[in-house]
Amino acid sequence: MTASSTITATSIDGAERNESPERLVRPLIRLAKASGVSTAYIDQLGTYVEIADDVLVDVLGALGVDATSPEAIDASLAAADAATSDRILPSSTLTATAGEPATITLHCAADDEPEATITLEDGTVRHSDENDILPDLNVATSRFLALPDDLPIGYHTLQVAAGDRTDEATLMVAPARIPLPATVAEHPRWGWMAQLYSIRSHESWGVGDYGDLTTLLADAGAKTGADFMLINPIHAGAPVPPLEPSPYLPESRRFLNVTYIRPQNIPEYAELTADERTRVDALHASVAARNDDPEPLDINAAWNAKRPALRVIFDHPRSPEREVAFSRFKEQAGPDLDAFAAWCLAFEVWGAPWEPNSWFGRTGRTSPEVAELIRDHHDLFEFNRWLQWIADEQVAAAQQAAKDNGMALGLMQDMAVGVHALGADVWWSPERFALGSVTVGCPPDFYNQQGQDWGQPPFNPRYLEATGYRVYREMVHSMFAHAGAVRIDHVLGLFRLWWIPMGKGAKGGAYVMYDYRAMIAVLSIEATRANGLVIGEDLGTVPEYVRQVLADHGVLGTDVAWFARIDNSPNAGDPYAPPSDYRRQALASVTTHDLPPTAGYLEFEHVQLRERLHLLAEPVEQFAASAAAERQAMLDVLVSGGWLDAAAAADVLGHEQEIVEAMHRMLTATPSVLRQAAIVDGTGQHATVNQPGTSDQYPNWRIPLVDGDGRLVHTEEVFSNPRVLSLAAVMRGER
């Protein structure tokens, strides 16, 4: 467990603020720090904030640490000390850097002669000798184990025996930093950001799908010279409606969203009988007209038609070769696939897990009822495993299309922060999470003035450490299987997460610390093996040391033009930084999915929407004035840098496309190794795809792709659209 450090800040008046000596000696504060819970933090405006006692008690309780009384606090402090003294190794998970010398402190009796064994990932066993374990001249009960400096990168097992005790830990050996792929190191690369569900062709089922993704990637590479495409998360969701529209609230991050499958692209579709083909095609025809509907997407209608069509294809016999491939997929996916399929089965047969007194709280992986359910409905269980296989095949095909059409990276997958509290991961493996009393979110900042509660249970850092981060390793590995890069939403979560106790509201949380060394080691190992990149979304309340640590390990940051002010000022209207100040190790973009498309932002879509939805914590006139000052500051930097004519800046509505392209032209002057344009900025869309802080007040994640006049843009039209092609020319550096 990584304990939090004392918080120090400088307030606006220049006075230093930190936790007082009196506060630091309080047993509750000492227990919180020993348990990895921050007792104070610095917000985005530089304000020092102390965490209230009741919040600390609740967060500690979620970690399994009793702090409900003075006696309980004393007992918990004693238990923490005892747990440390009972171990030979300092932790159940240890990290080392490949090729660099490292030592591990061993705690043992003064007369012990410890011996160490390292079992490598490939099964090779290496034993220590007398030269590898040295005494600590200052502490009689400590030894130093010198690790070999030629250990390969990977996940190994370290075992130490001392006297009558043995101890074991996962030893993760990672590269010092994630190397830039050669194609990126030779010169900066650019790509697109797309909301997959929003872009539909006539072959879609009312929602964009993996077939559309294949076309988009191929066309982006061949027609615009783009090198990557970042899409919304494609983590797994519910098996039957009602579906959760947010891709950032998945049921499992280990598996894929099967609602994006294109039935017509499954090999068995071509082998269907005439009757089977008629049934599938009729189901497609029942929703095909929705591909031309500019209104918010009906994701439930699409899946209600597609799922029975997929069942028809599943029931059709597969060739022996295809059956072998399916069996191989199931074997490689392991027991987590069975867990997800069982959850889907229970959901469909027993009802939604959020219904009152549902099976979710009464059953689990060891329940006889679950085993009986799988036996009685084995065909449906197998269908859900098959859906994952098909989704995996279609995402692989999309990535192959990207590479075949010249993309350097291809697909950039997006990793959500967490999972649904009633999802498969939580039901089958509740020990992985801090459950029942806390959710994850973020404290207030300029763009979300009331803070955010994402409603997701956080990983339990103690479980991660005890199990060698296996669940995280498998998730990252599966994402890199069909991607050239992985973007981590809210990358601060590698270091700390804002835990919100039930009933306290988004403002009433506390940061819980995670072992970032272990999590970065996983990312470094998996990215290096895949010759890929990791991009961290490090916007908002992120301490500078976090950005530095990520950069030191080769994790790219995120620089967004609308946020890139001089000295990282959080104040709208303050001057914008020149593009030369952007980081080299970054993905630079004009906007994000949490802001309106640039055309809408220039016309204050965010002001109007937040007022309409009652999301402002200040008078609308005040927020509107800050938005106007922000826009003017952007126009000023564009004009002063020579990317925009002053006359165009004076007439925003009359020169919208010119201003949008000027902002992207500014990106090409950054040193950033990756630069990104949003497809919605290419088409000229105004409506935001997601408004943070809302659920059903706005059709988040259901807005279809349209142009500046509100006309639909279909998949095959995207990279023939003159405005999109014009923006692509800007990104290529053409004048």
Side-chain angles (χ1 to χ4, degrees):
M1 183 68 67
T2 303
S4 58
S5 59
T6 300
I7 295 295
T8 301
T10 301
S11 61
I12 294 174
D13 60 8
E16 188 177 87
R17 295 293 308 279
N18 53 37
E19 295 180 277
S20 67
E22 294 78 13
R23 179 174 169 83
L24 290 172
V25 299
R26 293 181 56 215
L28 175 61
I29 301 303
R30 290 192 291 115
L31 178 61
K33 290 182 179 295
S35 303
V37 180
S38 286
T39 55
Y41 76 101
I42 311 302
D43 70 12
Q44 190 184 29
L45 296 175
T47 304
Y48 167 82
V49 182
E50 290 185 347
I51 307 301
D53 284 5
D54 61 326
V55 173
L56 293 175
V57 170
D58 288 348
V59 170
L60 285 167
L63 281 167
V65 179
D66 189 356
T68 54
S69 68
E71 295 77 16
I73 292 172
D74 289 342
S76 294
L77 282 168
D81 290 340
T84 300
S85 62
D86 288 345
R87 295 208 57 170
I88 301 173
L89 292 165
S91 173
S92 297
T93 298
L94 303 168
T95 59
T97 301
E100 295 183 7
T103 59
I104 295 172
T105 301
L106 309 179
H107 303 286
C108 44
D111 57 350
D112 282 343
E113 295 183 1
E115 296 180 351
T117 300
I118 299 176
T119 304
L120 301 182
E121 197 172 11
D122 65 3
T124 302
V125 178
R126 300 177 63 168
H127 300 280
S128 65
D129 58 33
E130 64 275 8
N131 297 319
D132 295 330
I133 300 179
L134 304 173
D136 183 342
L137 299 180
N138 298 313
V139 183
T141 55
S142 292
R143 306 285 192 280
F144 293 124
L145 170 63
L147 295 176
D149 60 8
D150 61 346
L151 292 174
I153 69 168
Y155 312 105
H156 315 307
T157 301
L158 171 63
Q159 188 175 72
V160 178
D164 59 356
R165 295 186 301 156
T166 61
D167 203 356
E168 188 173 283
T170 298
L171 175 61
M172 295 194 282
V173 179
R177 59 184 294 111
I178 301 169
L180 284 177
T183 54
V184 177
E186 63 187 17
H187 65 80
R189 299 287 176 167
W190 76 276
W192 296 100
M193 176 174 68
Q195 299 299 319
L196 174 58
Y197 56 85
S198 73
I199 310 175
R200 303 163 294 176
S201 64
H202 295 296
E203 294 299 308
S204 307
W205 293 58
V207 176
D209 58 32
Y210 294 136
D212 294 303
L213 178 62
T214 302
T215 300
L216 288 168
L217 287 165
D219 285 355
K223 297 181 180 180
T224 71
D227 285 303
F228 64 87
M229 182 176 290
L230 168 65
I231 62 170
N232 54 276
I234 51 174
H235 303 308
V240 293
L243 304 179
E244 167 58 53
S246 173
Y248 291 92
L249 188 56
E251 312 293 352
S252 171
R253 293 188 293 175
R254 173 67 176 80
F255 295 103
L256 293 168
N257 188 326
V258 299
T259 69
Y260 289 139
I261 291 172
R262 170 78 62 86
Q264 306 95 304
N265 289 5
I266 301 172
E268 283 72 32
Y269 172 79
E271 302 170 359
L272 296 178
T273 66
D275 178 63
E276 291 169 335
R277 175 73 71 87
T278 297
R279 289 160 59 195
V280 171
D281 290 351
L283 287 164
H284 178 244
S286 71
V287 292
R290 297 180 185 272
N291 296 321
D292 302 317
D293 188 351
E295 294 302 310
L297 306 177
D298 189 338
I299 58 176
N300 293 314
W303 187 230
N304 277 331
K306 186 184 291 186
R307 195 169 193 275
L310 289 168
R311 185 60 199 248
V312 171
I313 300 172
F314 167 76
D315 289 337
H316 184 85
R318 290 176 289 278
S319 69
E321 294 78 13
R322 291 281 290 163
E323 199 63 56
V324 167
F326 181 28
S327 296
R328 184 164 53 248
F329 171 80
K330 289 184 287 186
E331 180 181 355
Q332 292 173 347
D336 276 355
L337 176 61
D338 294 350
F340 183 72
W343 178 84
C344 291
L345 179 60
F347 194 123
E348 187 164 4
V349 175
W350 289 340
W354 46 78
E355 292 176 354
N357 302 313
S358 82
W359 51 271
F360 189 92
R362 293 184 287 100
T363 63
R365 62 175 179 260
T366 61
S367 300
E369 304 97 312
V370 174
E372 183 179 357
L373 178 72
I374 294 173
R375 285 195 304 269
D376 292 348
H377 300 273
H378 195 267
D379 60 331
L380 190 53
F381 175 77
E382 195 74 349
F383 175 57
N384 282 293
R385 297 203 291 180
W386 176 84
L387 288 173
Q388 284 299 323
W389 175 50
I390 297 301
D392 185 83
E393 285 193 325
Q394 294 198 352
V395 175
Q399 174 66 354
Q400 189 60 52
K403 304 297 281 188
D404 289 346
N405 285 275
M407 282 192 163
L409 295 172
L411 182 60
M412 183 184 291
Q413 287 212 47
D414 200 352
M415 181 194 296
V417 176
V419 295
H420 197 291
L422 299 176
D425 293 0
V426 177
W427 176 59
W428 199 261
S429 303
E431 67 278 3
R432 297 176 178 177
F433 302 90
L435 292 176
S437 60
V438 293
T439 52
V440 171
C442 65
D445 59 30
F446 174 79
Y447 289 92
N448 301 284
Q449 298 172 2
Q450 300 175 23
Q452 295 182 63
D453 184 346
W454 301 321
Q456 300 166 324
F459 268 143
N460 188 326
R462 298 184 171 203
Y463 172 85
L464 292 175
E465 178 197 333
T467 57
Y469 288 74
R470 179 171 293 278
V471 60
Y472 192 70
R473 286 152 45 184
E474 292 175 348
M475 178 181 65
V476 175
H477 179 80
S478 67
M479 294 187 72
F480 267 116
H482 308 309
V486 170
R487 174 192 177 273
I488 302 178
D489 192 51
H490 194 65
V491 76
L492 182 61
L494 301 181
F495 297 75
R496 65 187 193 186
L497 279 175
W498 185 251
W499 287 23
I500 305 168
M502 191 175 299
K504 294 291 194 282
K507 295 180 180 181
Y511 279 115
V512 173
M513 312 305 286
Y514 288 76
D515 186 351
Y516 68 85
R517 296 174 185 85
M519 301 182 88
I520 291 176
V522 171
L523 293 168
S524 300
I525 292 168
E526 297 299 336
T528 299
R529 287 175 168 176
N531 192 31
L533 284 174
V534 177
I535 298 93
E537 185 269 291
D538 55 354
L539 305 173
T541 308
V542 178
E544 194 54 40
Y545 84 90
V546 169
R547 294 188 172 96
Q548 187 60 54
V549 169
L550 294 173
D552 290 344
H553 287 85
V555 177
L556 275 59
T558 302
D559 284 345
V560 177
W562 283 118
F563 305 150
R565 300 184 183 91
I566 292 175
D567 296 328
N568 293 319
S569 169
N571 302 316
D574 281 0
Y576 279 102
S580 58
D581 284 0
Y582 284 44
R583 292 170 289 180
R584 180 176 185 270
Q585 283 194 190
L587 168 65
S589 66
V590 167
T591 189
T592 80
H593 59 247
D594 286 335
L595 298 178
T598 305
Y601 205 77
L602 289 168
E603 297 186 21
F604 307 126
E605 167 81 14
H606 52 306
V607 177
Q608 301 160 29
L609 183 59
R610 293 183 196 189
E611 180 189 19
R612 189 164 72 246
L613 299 180
H614 308 291
L615 297 176
L616 295 174
E618 60 189 352
V620 65
E621 295 80 8
Q622 185 177 338
F623 186 63
S626 69
E630 181 179 50
R631 185 179 77 173
Q632 188 58 53
M634 179 59 70
L635 296 172
D636 290 344
V637 76
L638 294 176
V639 172
S640 64
W643 299 290
L644 183 67
D645 184 77
D651 180 15
V652 173
L653 297 185
H655 296 82
E656 174 194 285
Q657 181 179 351
E658 189 175 344
I659 296 171
V660 171
E661 292 187 0
M663 293 184 69
H664 288 83
R665 189 171 291 110
M666 181 177 66
L667 286 187
T668 67
T670 70
S672 303
V673 296
L674 297 181
R675 301 154 183 175
Q676 176 181 278
I679 287 180
V680 288
D681 282 350
T683 64
Q685 179 172 316
H686 283 65
T688 187
V689 301
N690 173 56
Q691 175 53 57
T694 64
S695 52
D696 55 1
Q697 304 99 310
Y698 184 79
N700 293 323
W701 313 112
R702 285 170 288 158
I703 303 296
L705 180 66
V706 297
D707 64 17
D709 297 319
R711 293 188 296 263
L712 278 175
V713 180
H714 292 103
T715 306
E716 59 275 12
E717 300 166 341
V718 171
F719 295 111
S720 300
N721 182 293
R723 183 165 169 167
V724 172
L725 295 178
S726 180
L727 182 56
V730 169
M731 297 301 293
R732 291 194 301 267
E734 299 171 11
R735 299 295 179 186

